[in-house]
Every structure is written in C-alpha cells, then in structure tokens.
Amino acid sequence: MEAVTARAGANIALVKYWGKRDARLNLPAAGSISVTLADLETRTTVTPSPELDFDELLLDGRSAPTTRIAPVLDRFRMVSGCDLYCRVESTNSFPTGAGLASSASGFAALVVAADAAFGTGLDDARLSEQARLGSGSAARSIFGGFVEMAPGSRDDGSDAVASPLLDAADWPLEIVVAITESGSKSVSSTDGMNLTMNTSPYYRAWVESVPADLERARAAVAARDFDLLAEAGESSALKMHASALAAQPGLLYWNGATVACLHEVRRLRAAGTGVFFTVDAGPQVKAICLPAQGAQVAARLADVPGVVRVIETALGPGAGVLT
Ligand code: DP6
C-alpha cells in the first residue's frame, strides 16, 4: 500500500463549542461556527505497512503516544477490511501546545490521509464524523472558509457533523494570533469543558445561550455583516470563559497580556478598524479582521506588553490529499 499525505488547516471558533452531550463520541452539547485558516496547518502522512506490529506516530519529528490516533485508524481498518498497522508522520506549521488547536487540523489531516490510504472513499460528512471522534473541533477542519458544526440529535452521532457555510474567497477575513505565552501548560479543552460541565453553575445558561449566537453569526456571514459577527463572536467567547471561570476550581485561561490585547482590540474597533477578538482554552488572543486590516492589527497587537509574537493568516480551504 502507498503512503498518502494530506493537509488540513487549523480552525478558530467564532461561536464556541464548550461542552458535550456524549463525552465518549465527542457529541457537542450545542452547535458552533468557525473559520478555517490557510497558514496554520498540519501535514500528515499515513503509511500502512505489513512490517509493523503496532501503529507508530512521529509528531514534529518526535515519537509520540498513539493512544488517540489508534482508535481512528482502527475504524478505517474495520471499514476497509485491511488490518495493516500504520506509520503516521505529522508536522504542524505552528507550535504544538501553544493553544492553537493542533488537534483540530491534526485529526482532520489524519482522517483524510487514512481514508485515501485505506481506500475507504468516505464523503465529507463522514470524514467530518470520523474527525469528530478524534476531537470535537476537528470535525470543522474538514471544510474551508466559514463552517458550522451541528450538534445532531442521534445517539450514534451520525448527524453531529460539520458543513460549509461560505467559501473563504467570498469573505476573505484575516486572522491575527497574538501569542502571549509560548509553551503554555493550560488545562486542555477536553478537561476544561468536562470540569465546566460538572461543576459550573453557569454551564446550563451557557449552553442555552448558544443557539441565539449561532443564529446571529449565521445571519452575519450570509450578509457579510462584520459588526453583527463581531457582536456574536465576542459575546460567545466571553460567555464561554464566564462559564469556565465559574467552574470549581475556576478555570482562568487568561494572563495579563491576554486582557491587554482584548482592550486593544476594542480600542481599535472603537476607532473604526474592523476587528474583534476571540479566545480559546489558553492565553492567546485571536483577532478576526476585515480584509486588508490584518497588518495594522498585527502591528498594534505586537506592541502590547507581554505579546511574544503575532502570526497573521488568511482563511483557507478544507482538508485534502496532497498529490
Ligand atoms: C475552546 O475540540 O479540543 O477551542 O472535543 O474534547 O477534543 P475535544 O475538545 P476540542 O475543544 C475545542 C474548544 C475550543 C472552542 C472551539 O474550538 O469551538
């Protein structure tokens, strides 16, 4: 069998996924809306081989545990009827563990490469389902541009898949990531959302508030209404963090520079720049900018005390095999 290489872009949720209706299948408690990024990507090569006695993973050149990828490969082995173990080599174009969601691009690239290597020929919805079983947010990285993840209602999760809302080229927003701490050791998204679900008195209210944000964000994307997207996006991020802050013990993902960046983004917007913020389960700030405004926002965020570096990227395409 041949080695297959696939790539997938990381994604950033504008309406957040934070909580599950089924932890085993990563079924989200509510929907989410994200943008897929062009330049923050994972490239993964899957090589099934009769010479292997178990799966192997090389992550950015280093041997890594296969605990999370072996169940994904098992499903492709089961569907294809081919029981070969695989060598998996995965590289990220951005620092792993810097709060930049490498699991999303990682699992999306893995399932696309495995699908081609095992010849299973799954369609995008089924690839999204397989990616979700690796990590909830990975279901969205199968698609490019603006993407919506459905919570689904079936117990088997077959309807909890993502679908595209709008191509990147149709509204080429720009993203600036302000890194305020490198190699940060935050509580992982999985652990953070579990703790929030189990202990936060605000968790229910958070989940109940998501459909209204989804509706606003969907309408904003359809109408290319940046101000409406900014309102929905900032509100979703702040409410997600409010629910996490109220967990026991409280999850405080932000540092001083994170907060300083949030204020800087609001100052820029008040002065007329098209920009809004979002923050995931870590201290980095992601600024979503109108087309052609990314460079100015990047320069301003780079000057905020405590910002280590900034990364600029366009929105990008969905996951695919590299030929
Ligand atoms: C804050 O997809 O990493 O980035 O499903 O447990 O693997 P698991 O969690 P994960 O959570 C992402 C949470 C988030 C918000 C988002 O991406 O929607």
Side-chain angles (χ1 to χ4, degrees):
M1 287 182 98
E2 301 262 309
V4 177
T5 303
R7 70 157 293 286
N11 73 74
I12 290 176
L14 307 181
V15 176
K16 300 295 183 193
Y17 150 53
W18 194 250
K20 305 182 190 191
R21 64 183 172 89
D22 181 318
R24 194 177 55 88
L25 298 175
N26 280 338
L27 300 181
S32 55
I33 288 179
S34 61
V35 284
T36 301
L37 309 182
D39 303 325
L40 279 68
E41 65 166 26
T42 303
R43 288 179 182 231
T44 299
T45 303
V46 172
T47 315
S49 164
E51 279 150 34
L52 296 173
D53 295 324
F54 40 80
D55 294 317
E56 288 178 6
L57 173 61
L58 269 186
L59 189 55
D60 288 328
R62 289 203 196 132
S63 176
T66 56
T67 339
R68 287 184 74 188
I69 66 158
V72 176
L73 295 169
D74 281 344
R75 285 189 295 276
F76 284 96
R77 280 187 278 263
M78 204 180 72
V79 174
S80 66
C82 164
D83 58 7
L84 295 182
Y85 288 107
C86 300
R87 180 178 170 82
V88 176
E89 292 172 78
S90 194
T91 50
N92 291 313
S93 70
F94 53 94
T96 309
L100 294 178
S102 61
S103 69
S105 49
F107 280 106
L110 176 66
V111 301
V112 170
D115 177 60
F118 285 97
T120 37
L122 303 187
D123 65 18
D124 283 349
R126 300 285 60 90
L127 289 171
S128 178
E129 180 181 14
Q130 291 302 321
R132 187 206 72 227
L133 290 162
S135 182
S137 55
R140 301 183 308 235
S141 274
I142 295 295
F143 301 97
F146 296 79
V147 180
E148 178 160 5
M149 175 73 192
S153 57
R154 296 188 199 135
D155 287 344
D156 68 0
S158 54
D159 56 350
V161 296
S163 59
L165 283 180
L166 187 73
D167 278 355
D170 292 329
W171 201 17
L173 300 184
E174 298 174 357
I175 308 293
V176 175
V177 182
I179 311 276
T180 63
E181 220 171 287
S182 32
S184 79
K185 296 258 187 292
S186 313
V187 177
S188 74
S189 301
T190 309
D191 292 345
M193 68 176 91
N194 276 337
L195 186 70
T196 306
M197 285 157 63
N198 293 332
T199 65
S200 174
Y202 301 162
Y203 176 66
R204 237 335 93 207
W206 149 251
V207 171
E208 282 165 11
S209 80
V210 177
D213 289 335
L214 288 171
E215 207 168 297
R216 280 200 291 178
R218 222 181 277 128
V221 170
R224 323 282 200 275
D225 182 337
F226 191 80
D227 290 340
L228 186 61
L229 191 62
E231 251 175 56
E234 288 195 355
S235 171
S236 176
L238 292 172
K239 284 185 293 186
M240 174 202 125
H241 283 274
S243 73
L245 282 163
Q248 305 281 335
L251 289 162
L252 180 51
Y253 283 113
W254 304 349
N255 61 34
T258 312
V259 178
C261 286
L262 303 188
H263 285 296
E264 187 59 27
V265 166
R266 287 223 164 148
R267 261 194 297 276
L268 280 164
R269 189 160 76 252
T273 304
V275 61
F276 69 91
F277 62 70
T278 190
V279 190
D280 293 308
Q284 328 303 6
V285 174
K286 286 96 182 213
I288 296 90
C289 316
L290 273 173
Q293 310 219 337
Q296 180 209 347
V297 171
R300 288 289 287 267
L301 291 180
D303 278 348
V304 172
V307 170
V308 184
R309 64 183 276 221
V310 295
I311 301 173
E312 277 182 74
T313 174
L315 305 191
V321 169
L322 295 172
T323 47

